[in-house]
Amino acid sequence: MSGGRGAAGAGGGVVAAGGPEAAAAPAADAAPTAGAAAAEVLRLLGGRGETLAVAESLTGGLVAAEVTAVPGASQVFRGSVTAYATELKQQVLGVDGALLAARGAVDADVALQMAAGVRGLLGADWGLATTGVAGPDPQDGKPVGTVFVAVVGPGSPLRSEGNVAALRLNGNRTEIRTESVRSVLGLLLRQLSGERAGNGRAQDTEQNGGT
């Protein structure tokens, strides 16, 4: 198994995965599964009286499926938008057309704007987003396994604010999509846990898996 590491600060910005320090990171399987992360996210949001919406591209509805598999999800989950086609990211989620034209759909700022867009569109407190290349071919000049996951929540009124993690994932198409689901739910879980501990601006570290 090989992997890298991406980091996202609570005030925005992104650090690409990889680097010599990655070997010191905990093993990917030490992180919660997607199902466990979804259950804990719903528990924390339910306790705060807050809601969640999801915008998905490469994951094609898998994040929403994990969330809605948890009993009682309807108390927190508002819904999701699967904007698979690039133009739908602009037309439905409000992603800036000039940004999409300049950088393509696989981009950190696109992920942030997707999360902000679905949050506003569905009237949720928190928005999640996934965009990336699951394969088998590269997209917009980005290699297979390039993924961006983003979280935008209360206190993030601007589209450029929020948390975003850059992932460099190995494995086949199914493995890349599965790890993307776990990663975006884990990103939100760490932000919620950090806020609960009074450390909402602490830096998040993302461990990437794959085979």
Side-chain angles (χ1 to χ4, degrees), residues 45-71:
L45 289 178
R48 296 158 60 127
E50 295 176 344
T51 55
L52 174 67
V54 177
E56 303 189 57
S57 186
L58 85 155
T59 49
L62 294 176
V63 179
E66 284 289 354
V67 171
T68 56
V70 179

Side-chain angles (χ1 to χ4, degrees), residues 42-52 75-76 124-126 154:
L42 291 175
R43 186 187 71 80
L44 291 173
L45 289 178
R48 296 158 60 127
E50 295 176 344
T51 55
L52 174 67
Q75 298 179 25
V76 169
D125 296 296
W126 294 85

